[in-house]
mmCIF file of all heavy atoms in Angstrom:
data_model
loop_
_atom_site.group_PDB
_atom_site.id
_atom_site.type_symbol
_atom_site.label_atom_id
_atom_site.label_comp_id
_atom_site.label_asym_id
_atom_site.label_seq_id
_atom_site.Cartn_x
_atom_site.Cartn_y
_atom_site.Cartn_z
ATOM 1 N N TRP A 28 21.443 -1.251 -7.955
ATOM 2 C CA TRP A 28 21.211 -1.365 -6.510
ATOM 3 C C TRP A 28 21.207 -0.009 -5.790
ATOM 4 O O TRP A 28 20.821 0.068 -4.614
ATOM 5 C CB TRP A 28 22.243 -2.302 -5.869
ATOM 6 C CG TRP A 28 23.675 -1.895 -6.037
ATOM 7 C CD1 TRP A 28 24.507 -2.242 -7.047
ATOM 8 C CD2 TRP A 28 24.442 -1.063 -5.157
ATOM 9 N NE1 TRP A 28 25.751 -1.688 -6.866
ATOM 10 C CE2 TRP A 28 25.745 -0.960 -5.705
ATOM 11 C CE3 TRP A 28 24.172 -0.404 -3.953
ATOM 12 C CZ2 TRP A 28 26.751 -0.228 -5.100
ATOM 13 C CZ3 TRP A 28 25.176 0.337 -3.342
ATOM 14 C CH2 TRP A 28 26.454 0.418 -3.915
ATOM 15 N N GLN A 29 21.562 1.046 -6.501
ATOM 16 C CA GLN A 29 21.557 2.383 -5.900
ATOM 17 C C GLN A 29 20.260 3.147 -6.160
ATOM 18 O O GLN A 29 20.171 4.341 -5.903
ATOM 19 C CB GLN A 29 22.749 3.186 -6.444
ATOM 20 C CG GLN A 29 24.102 2.577 -6.077
ATOM 21 C CD GLN A 29 25.267 3.235 -6.797
ATOM 22 O OE1 GLN A 29 25.138 3.659 -7.946
ATOM 23 N NE2 GLN A 29 26.409 3.320 -6.125
ATOM 24 N N LEU A 30 19.234 2.468 -6.646
ATOM 25 C CA LEU A 30 17.968 3.112 -7.001
ATOM 26 C C LEU A 30 17.331 3.878 -5.851
ATOM 27 O O LEU A 30 16.693 4.915 -6.069
ATOM 28 C CB LEU A 30 16.972 2.055 -7.507
ATOM 29 C CG LEU A 30 17.165 1.563 -8.929
ATOM 30 C CD1 LEU A 30 16.366 0.287 -9.166
ATOM 31 C CD2 LEU A 30 16.754 2.640 -9.924
ATOM 32 N N THR A 31 17.460 3.368 -4.640
ATOM 33 C CA THR A 31 16.794 4.007 -3.498
ATOM 34 C C THR A 31 17.722 4.931 -2.711
ATOM 35 O O THR A 31 17.347 5.426 -1.659
ATOM 36 C CB THR A 31 16.222 2.936 -2.556
ATOM 37 O OG1 THR A 31 17.269 2.044 -2.148
ATOM 38 C CG2 THR A 31 15.116 2.148 -3.243
ATOM 39 N N ARG A 32 18.909 5.165 -3.214
ATOM 40 C CA ARG A 32 19.842 6.065 -2.525
ATOM 41 C C ARG A 32 19.272 7.481 -2.526
ATOM 42 O O ARG A 32 19.016 8.065 -3.565
ATOM 43 C CB ARG A 32 21.202 6.034 -3.209
ATOM 44 C CG ARG A 32 22.292 6.789 -2.443
ATOM 45 C CD ARG A 32 23.651 6.562 -3.076
ATOM 46 N NE ARG A 32 23.715 7.121 -4.426
ATOM 47 C CZ ARG A 32 24.748 6.955 -5.246
ATOM 48 N NH1 ARG A 32 25.792 6.220 -4.863
ATOM 49 N NH2 ARG A 32 24.738 7.507 -6.443
ATOM 50 N N GLY A 33 19.058 8.031 -1.339
ATOM 51 C CA GLY A 33 18.505 9.380 -1.222
ATOM 52 C C GLY A 33 16.994 9.444 -1.357
ATOM 53 O O GLY A 33 16.425 10.534 -1.450
ATOM 54 N N LEU A 34 16.321 8.286 -1.337
ATOM 55 C CA LEU A 34 14.871 8.279 -1.530
ATOM 56 C C LEU A 34 14.144 9.046 -0.434
ATOM 57 O O LEU A 34 13.131 9.707 -0.689
ATOM 58 C CB LEU A 34 14.354 6.835 -1.589
ATOM 59 C CG LEU A 34 12.855 6.649 -1.857
ATOM 60 C CD1 LEU A 34 12.467 7.260 -3.202
ATOM 61 C CD2 LEU A 34 12.490 5.164 -1.816
ATOM 62 N N GLU A 35 14.649 8.974 0.788
ATOM 63 C CA GLU A 35 14.002 9.657 1.914
ATOM 64 C C GLU A 35 14.482 11.098 2.084
ATOM 65 O O GLU A 35 14.028 11.800 2.984
ATOM 66 C CB GLU A 35 14.249 8.876 3.213
ATOM 67 C CG GLU A 35 13.807 7.414 3.164
ATOM 68 C CD GLU A 35 12.318 7.278 2.888
ATOM 69 O OE1 GLU A 35 11.548 8.144 3.332
ATOM 70 O OE2 GLU A 35 11.925 6.302 2.214
ATOM 71 N N SER A 36 15.387 11.529 1.234
ATOM 72 C CA SER A 36 15.907 12.888 1.325
ATOM 73 C C SER A 36 15.006 13.852 0.550
ATOM 74 O O SER A 36 13.969 13.465 0.016
ATOM 75 C CB SER A 36 17.327 12.945 0.753
ATOM 76 O OG SER A 36 17.301 12.782 -0.663
ATOM 77 N N GLU A 37 15.430 15.097 0.452
ATOM 78 C CA GLU A 37 14.677 16.088 -0.307
ATOM 79 C C GLU A 37 15.029 16.059 -1.789
ATOM 80 O O GLU A 37 14.482 16.833 -2.576
ATOM 81 C CB GLU A 37 14.949 17.489 0.257
ATOM 82 C CG GLU A 37 14.449 17.684 1.691
ATOM 83 C CD GLU A 37 14.683 19.082 2.197
ATOM 84 O OE1 GLU A 37 15.316 19.877 1.454
ATOM 85 O OE2 GLU A 37 14.247 19.402 3.321
ATOM 86 N N ASN A 38 15.935 15.168 -2.159
ATOM 87 C CA ASN A 38 16.389 15.131 -3.546
ATOM 88 C C ASN A 38 16.474 13.694 -4.072
ATOM 89 O O ASN A 38 17.544 13.218 -4.473
ATOM 90 C CB ASN A 38 17.754 15.819 -3.660
ATOM 91 C CG ASN A 38 18.116 16.174 -5.085
ATOM 92 O OD1 ASN A 38 17.249 16.380 -5.934
ATOM 93 N ND2 ASN A 38 19.404 16.237 -5.370
ATOM 94 N N PRO A 39 15.340 12.984 -4.110
ATOM 95 C CA PRO A 39 15.347 11.591 -4.579
ATOM 96 C C PRO A 39 15.467 11.500 -6.096
ATOM 97 O O PRO A 39 15.325 12.495 -6.815
ATOM 98 C CB PRO A 39 13.990 11.074 -4.109
ATOM 99 C CG PRO A 39 13.114 12.291 -4.134
ATOM 100 C CD PRO A 39 14.008 13.427 -3.702
ATOM 101 N N ILE A 40 15.709 10.290 -6.585
ATOM 102 C CA ILE A 40 15.738 10.036 -8.021
ATOM 103 C C ILE A 40 14.305 10.049 -8.543
ATOM 104 O O ILE A 40 13.443 9.330 -8.045
ATOM 105 C CB ILE A 40 16.388 8.678 -8.326
ATOM 106 C CG1 ILE A 40 17.837 8.659 -7.834
ATOM 107 C CG2 ILE A 40 16.322 8.374 -9.821
ATOM 108 C CD1 ILE A 40 18.486 7.281 -7.897
ATOM 109 N N THR A 41 14.054 10.868 -9.548
ATOM 110 C CA THR A 41 12.699 10.992 -10.078
ATOM 111 C C THR A 41 12.487 10.252 -11.387
ATOM 112 O O THR A 41 11.395 9.742 -11.652
ATOM 113 C CB THR A 41 12.333 12.473 -10.282
ATOM 114 O OG1 THR A 41 13.327 13.088 -11.124
ATOM 115 C CG2 THR A 41 12.261 13.205 -8.955
ATOM 116 N N GLU A 42 13.532 10.184 -12.239
ATOM 117 C CA GLU A 42 13.312 9.590 -13.556
ATOM 118 C C GLU A 42 14.625 9.156 -14.185
ATOM 119 O O GLU A 42 15.713 9.492 -13.711
ATOM 120 C CB GLU A 42 12.598 10.575 -14.474
ATOM 121 C CG GLU A 42 13.355 11.879 -14.689
ATOM 122 C CD GLU A 42 12.531 12.896 -15.448
ATOM 123 O OE1 GLU A 42 11.618 12.489 -16.182
ATOM 124 O OE2 GLU A 42 12.807 14.106 -15.312
ATOM 125 N N LEU A 43 14.500 8.416 -15.260
ATOM 126 C CA LEU A 43 15.655 8.009 -16.051
ATOM 127 C C LEU A 43 16.075 9.153 -16.962
ATOM 128 O O LEU A 43 15.266 10.010 -17.309
ATOM 129 C CB LEU A 43 15.304 6.769 -16.873
ATOM 130 C CG LEU A 43 15.012 5.516 -16.037
ATOM 131 C CD1 LEU A 43 14.256 4.478 -16.855
ATOM 132 C CD2 LEU A 43 16.306 4.921 -15.486
ATOM 133 N N ALA A 44 17.328 9.158 -17.357
ATOM 134 C CA ALA A 44 17.848 10.275 -18.161
ATOM 135 C C ALA A 44 18.789 9.764 -19.244
ATOM 136 O O ALA A 44 19.927 10.212 -19.379
ATOM 137 C CB ALA A 44 18.566 11.274 -17.257
ATOM 138 N N SER A 45 18.319 8.824 -20.035
ATOM 139 C CA SER A 45 19.130 8.236 -21.100
ATOM 140 C C SER A 45 19.330 9.223 -22.248
ATOM 141 O O SER A 45 18.567 10.178 -22.396
ATOM 142 C CB SER A 45 18.457 6.970 -21.631
ATOM 143 O OG SER A 45 18.289 6.033 -20.595
ATOM 144 N N PRO A 46 20.306 8.976 -23.106
ATOM 145 C CA PRO A 46 20.545 9.871 -24.248
ATOM 146 C C PRO A 46 19.488 9.746 -25.335
ATOM 147 O O PRO A 46 19.416 10.585 -26.220
ATOM 148 C CB PRO A 46 21.915 9.429 -24.767
ATOM 149 C CG PRO A 46 22.049 8.002 -24.330
ATOM 150 C CD PRO A 46 21.361 7.940 -23.005
ATOM 151 N N ARG A 47 18.655 8.695 -25.282
ATOM 152 C CA ARG A 47 17.586 8.493 -26.263
ATOM 153 C C ARG A 47 16.304 8.125 -25.526
ATOM 154 O O ARG A 47 16.340 7.398 -24.531
ATOM 155 C CB ARG A 47 17.956 7.352 -27.223
ATOM 156 C CG ARG A 47 19.095 7.641 -28.175
ATOM 157 C CD ARG A 47 19.565 6.361 -28.873
ATOM 158 N NE ARG A 47 18.488 5.590 -29.476
ATOM 159 C CZ ARG A 47 18.326 5.408 -30.787
ATOM 160 N NH1 ARG A 47 19.170 5.975 -31.638
ATOM 161 N NH2 ARG A 47 17.348 4.662 -31.250
ATOM 162 N N PRO A 48 15.158 8.594 -25.994
ATOM 163 C CA PRO A 48 13.892 8.271 -25.315
ATOM 164 C C PRO A 48 13.559 6.788 -25.346
ATOM 165 O O PRO A 48 12.977 6.269 -24.388
ATOM 166 C CB PRO A 48 12.854 9.100 -26.084
ATOM 167 C CG PRO A 48 13.485 9.418 -27.402
ATOM 168 C CD PRO A 48 14.945 9.517 -27.130
ATOM 169 N N ASP A 49 13.920 6.086 -26.423
ATOM 170 C CA ASP A 49 13.622 4.648 -26.457
ATOM 171 C C ASP A 49 14.487 3.884 -25.459
ATOM 172 O O ASP A 49 14.064 2.840 -24.935
ATOM 173 C CB ASP A 49 13.790 4.084 -27.875
ATOM 174 C CG ASP A 49 15.170 4.309 -28.464
ATOM 175 O OD1 ASP A 49 15.883 5.230 -28.001
ATOM 176 O OD2 ASP A 49 15.544 3.578 -29.405
ATOM 177 N N PHE A 50 15.671 4.403 -25.152
ATOM 178 C CA PHE A 50 16.496 3.780 -24.120
ATOM 179 C C PHE A 50 15.835 3.919 -22.746
ATOM 180 O O PHE A 50 15.922 3.016 -21.912
ATOM 181 C CB PHE A 50 17.894 4.402 -24.091
ATOM 182 C CG PHE A 50 18.810 3.931 -25.199
ATOM 183 C CD1 PHE A 50 18.356 3.076 -26.197
ATOM 184 C CD2 PHE A 50 20.134 4.341 -25.243
ATOM 185 C CE1 PHE A 50 19.198 2.641 -27.220
ATOM 186 C CE2 PHE A 50 20.991 3.903 -26.252
ATOM 187 C CZ PHE A 50 20.523 3.059 -27.239
ATOM 188 N N ASN A 51 15.191 5.056 -22.485
ATOM 189 C CA ASN A 51 14.456 5.198 -21.230
ATOM 190 C C ASN A 51 13.349 4.149 -21.130
ATOM 191 O O ASN A 51 13.130 3.550 -20.074
ATOM 192 C CB ASN A 51 13.839 6.595 -21.122
ATOM 193 C CG ASN A 51 14.835 7.655 -20.723
ATOM 194 O OD1 ASN A 51 15.857 7.362 -20.100
ATOM 195 N ND2 ASN A 51 14.557 8.894 -21.068
ATOM 196 N N GLY A 52 12.642 3.935 -22.245
ATOM 197 C CA GLY A 52 11.591 2.928 -22.262
ATOM 198 C C GLY A 52 12.141 1.535 -22.015
ATOM 199 O O GLY A 52 11.520 0.715 -21.321
ATOM 200 N N ALA A 53 13.306 1.245 -22.580
ATOM 201 C CA ALA A 53 13.933 -0.055 -22.362
ATOM 202 C C ALA A 53 14.421 -0.191 -20.922
ATOM 203 O O ALA A 53 14.242 -1.240 -20.283
ATOM 204 C CB ALA A 53 15.094 -0.242 -23.335
ATOM 205 N N LEU A 54 15.021 0.862 -20.386
ATOM 206 C CA LEU A 54 15.586 0.789 -19.039
ATOM 207 C C LEU A 54 14.519 0.583 -17.965
ATOM 208 O O LEU A 54 14.745 -0.156 -17.002
ATOM 209 C CB LEU A 54 16.397 2.053 -18.733
ATOM 210 C CG LEU A 54 17.839 2.069 -19.218
ATOM 211 C CD1 LEU A 54 18.505 3.398 -18.866
ATOM 212 C CD2 LEU A 54 18.637 0.908 -18.619
ATOM 213 N N ILE A 55 13.376 1.236 -18.102
ATOM 214 C CA ILE A 55 12.354 1.049 -17.072
ATOM 215 C C ILE A 55 11.859 -0.394 -17.097
ATOM 216 O O ILE A 55 11.574 -0.991 -16.046
ATOM 217 C CB ILE A 55 11.191 2.055 -17.230
ATOM 218 C CG1 ILE A 55 10.289 2.026 -15.984
ATOM 219 C CG2 ILE A 55 10.371 1.791 -18.469
ATOM 220 C CD1 ILE A 55 10.967 2.418 -14.703
ATOM 221 N N GLN A 56 11.787 -0.998 -18.288
ATOM 222 C CA GLN A 56 11.397 -2.408 -18.367
ATOM 223 C C GLN A 56 12.500 -3.315 -17.824
ATOM 224 O O GLN A 56 12.217 -4.329 -17.185
ATOM 225 C CB GLN A 56 11.074 -2.777 -19.814
ATOM 226 C CG GLN A 56 9.840 -2.065 -20.349
ATOM 227 C CD GLN A 56 9.543 -2.444 -21.793
ATOM 228 O OE1 GLN A 56 8.962 -3.492 -22.060
ATOM 229 N NE2 GLN A 56 9.946 -1.578 -22.716
ATOM 230 N N PHE A 57 13.747 -2.946 -18.064
ATOM 231 C CA PHE A 57 14.878 -3.687 -17.503
ATOM 232 C C PHE A 57 14.804 -3.688 -15.980
ATOM 233 O O PHE A 57 14.945 -4.735 -15.329
ATOM 234 C CB PHE A 57 16.186 -3.062 -17.981
ATOM 235 C CG PHE A 57 17.428 -3.631 -17.329
ATOM 236 C CD1 PHE A 57 18.102 -4.689 -17.916
ATOM 237 C CD2 PHE A 57 17.906 -3.105 -16.143
ATOM 238 C CE1 PHE A 57 19.245 -5.213 -17.321
ATOM 239 C CE2 PHE A 57 19.040 -3.626 -15.534
ATOM 240 C CZ PHE A 57 19.712 -4.677 -16.120
ATOM 241 N N LEU A 58 14.578 -2.528 -15.394
ATOM 242 C CA LEU A 58 14.561 -2.406 -13.931
ATOM 243 C C LEU A 58 13.357 -3.105 -13.317
ATOM 244 O O LEU A 58 13.472 -3.758 -12.267
ATOM 245 C CB LEU A 58 14.589 -0.930 -13.535
ATOM 246 C CG LEU A 58 15.895 -0.192 -13.874
ATOM 247 C CD1 LEU A 58 15.737 1.300 -13.660
ATOM 248 C CD2 LEU A 58 17.061 -0.747 -13.063
#
């Protein structure tokens, strides 16, 4: 639920940063 925190600021969330690349692929599908 914190995905949009800071979205309108100069420092929004740009990407996922999991410890494994396949976890990033899973997380974007989860979200």
Side-chain angles (χ1 to χ4, degrees):
W28 59 270
Q29 297 171 326
L30 282 165
T31 56
R32 188 172 65 186
L34 183 60
E35 304 300 327
S36 70
E37 295 182 356
N38 196 27
I40 299 171
T41 55
E42 59 188 336
L43 295 162
S45 301
R47 291 168 51 113
D49 57 338
F50 283 4
N51 282 336
L54 276 179
I55 192 62
Q56 294 180 81
F57 173 92
L58 293 170

